[in-house]
Amino acid sequence: MTGVHAAYDRGLKGLEERRALPTLIYHYCDANALLGILQNRQVWATDTNYLNDADELASLFKNVVGHLAAKRTKGSEFLIEQFQKISATAATFRRGLIGLGVYVACFSEDGDVLSQWRAYAADGMGFAIGFDPSRFRVLKEDREASPKRMIYGGSVEERIVTKYFSDFASALAPFANRLQTFGWPEMSFDSWLQLRISEFLHEVAFECKHPAFHEEQEWRIIALQGEVRYRASANRLVPYRVLDMTSAQNEKLMPIEEIVIGPCAPAMESERVLTYLADSLGYGHAGIRFRRSNAPYRK
């Protein structure tokens, strides 16, 4: 039991090593959302079931068996079978349960990506707000909150899964025959094994997306607390939670370093009104940098 939990802890440490925060992370939005964020000092964290990736929380599980193909030996087949069973049911199980939504606020490591402008910022007419994530109050004061750096399949995802598999197998090896014979208190050996595997894979799944989205260079913050609210979007009712974006040093301001003006927005007009707006909200006349996107995009 100690060995299995140690393998789990090592797996989590591997994820944490990927989460060294960049200098800035950017939230792409249209003008309405920008105004709401600046005035209310918050962003909306959306239920992942309503995001634009149809494979949300499922992408990893579709890849697990392939990642473990090279690990398949005569002695490993039983353990691989347990990984496969979890992967086959996990994503659909979570999606089908009411009340278990995962609410995330999405950011990008790059503040000037054309696909981001087109998808999330009014087709180039919007903005990208550059935050200093090291100063977020929610990351300082909420012990359970942590930034998630998304993984887009490939070698990084494979390395995380296979490392956990190897650690898990090594911890289990001296006791596997005994547990399989006598079971685990109050449950079968298979059930206990699948529960331990599921714990880790679900942690990783929160940070995995389909490779098609790699351009986004996405970071996420999960909103663990707060009332579930609803908004209308594209003719759907979408659940969300409010995420506090204030600075740990000043609850009246957010740690905004710059705002990037979209490639189709009027640059001079946007910078002028943003300067006045930022000053009126307490950031000072020059407290936030403004710059125009370099993308030569024309609608």
Side-chain angles (χ1 to χ4, degrees):
M1 186 175 183
T2 300
V4 168
H5 284 300
Y8 176 76
D9 290 340
R10 286 193 295 273
L12 291 187
K13 185 176 180 181
L15 290 177
E16 291 170 2
E17 289 171 353
R18 299 186 66 261
R19 298 174 184 159
L21 290 168
T23 303
L24 295 177
I25 56 176
Y26 295 84
H27 184 73
Y28 287 79
C29 59
D30 61 21
N32 283 328
L34 173 69
L35 186 60
I37 291 168
L38 290 175
Q39 291 178 334
N40 299 313
R41 302 182 294 279
Q42 56 189 221
V43 299
W44 292 349
T46 303
D47 186 328
T48 53
N49 287 321
Y50 295 80
L51 297 178
N52 62 359
D53 181 0
D55 273 353
E56 282 287 347
L57 301 184
S59 181
L60 169 72
F61 299 112
K62 293 181 178 181
N63 298 333
V64 166
V65 174
H67 291 331
L68 295 179
K71 296 289 184 180
R72 186 174 290 277
T73 64
K74 187 174 182 180
S76 70
E77 288 179 350
F78 173 74
L79 187 55
I80 287 179
E81 181 183 338
Q82 307 312 310
F83 273 78
Q84 186 171 2
K85 286 180 179 178
I86 289 296
S87 300
T89 60
T92 53
F93 175 75
R94 173 171 286 278
R95 281 178 174 273
L97 290 180
I98 297 173
L100 284 184
V102 179
Y103 295 84
V104 300
C106 303
F107 307 85
S108 173
E109 196 167 327
D110 192 332
D112 195 3
V113 180
L114 181 56
S115 61
Q116 296 283 80
W117 289 122
R118 298 180 68 179
Y120 306 114
D123 197 16
M125 287 291 293
F127 306 88
I129 310 170
F131 296 95
D132 176 356
S134 68
R135 292 160 53 201
F136 279 145
R137 180 181 305 277
V138 66
L139 297 183
K140 297 281 188 182
E141 298 183 359
D142 188 339
R143 292 183 179 180
E144 295 185 11
S146 64
K148 310 290 185 184
R149 182 187 179 190
M150 300 308 290
I151 302 162
Y152 299 95
S155 60
V156 175
E157 185 180 277
E158 180 179 6
R159 185 166 59 250
I160 290 170
V161 172
T162 55
K163 178 67 166 60
Y164 181 64
F165 174 86
S166 298
D167 279 1
F168 196 99
S170 297
L172 197 66
F175 311 101
N177 290 336
R178 185 182 305 173
L179 287 169
Q180 198 160 1
T181 301
F182 297 104
W184 192 258
E186 300 182 3
M187 68 173 67
S188 70
F189 173 62
D190 288 15
S191 298
W192 178 82
L193 202 62
Q194 290 174 21
L195 186 60
R196 302 285 80 81
I197 294 168
S198 179
E199 287 173 338
F200 181 72
L201 290 184
H202 275 90
E203 285 287 340
V204 181
F206 290 148
E207 304 185 33
C208 291
K209 294 190 73 170
H210 191 279
F213 293 88
H214 74 279
E215 264 192 355
E216 294 181 351
Q217 301 178 59
E218 184 178 345
W219 286 76
R220 288 181 172 178
I221 299 176
I222 297 178
L224 299 169
Q225 303 174 2
E227 172 191 1
V228 176
R229 304 179 183 182
Y230 301 87
R231 70 178 188 271
S233 176
N235 295 317
R236 295 192 303 170
L237 295 176
V238 178
Y240 72 97
R241 284 178 173 161
V242 169
L243 184 67
D244 178 11
M245 299 297 291
T246 57
S247 168
Q249 290 75 36
N250 188 337
E251 63 181 12
K252 294 183 179 181
L253 300 177
M254 295 179 290
I256 299 175
E257 292 294 318
E258 72 171 7
I259 295 177
V260 186
I261 300 167
C264 298
M268 292 183 62
E269 175 187 321
S270 297
E271 182 171 345
R272 181 173 65 252
V273 71
L274 283 171
T275 299
Y276 292 137
L277 176 59
D279 187 46
S280 72
L281 294 172
Y283 294 92
H285 205 65
I288 298 174
R289 296 188 304 272
F290 305 107
R291 64 181 173 93
R292 174 76 180 272
S293 165
N294 288 321
Y297 176 51
R298 181 171 58 192
K299 292 194 293 183

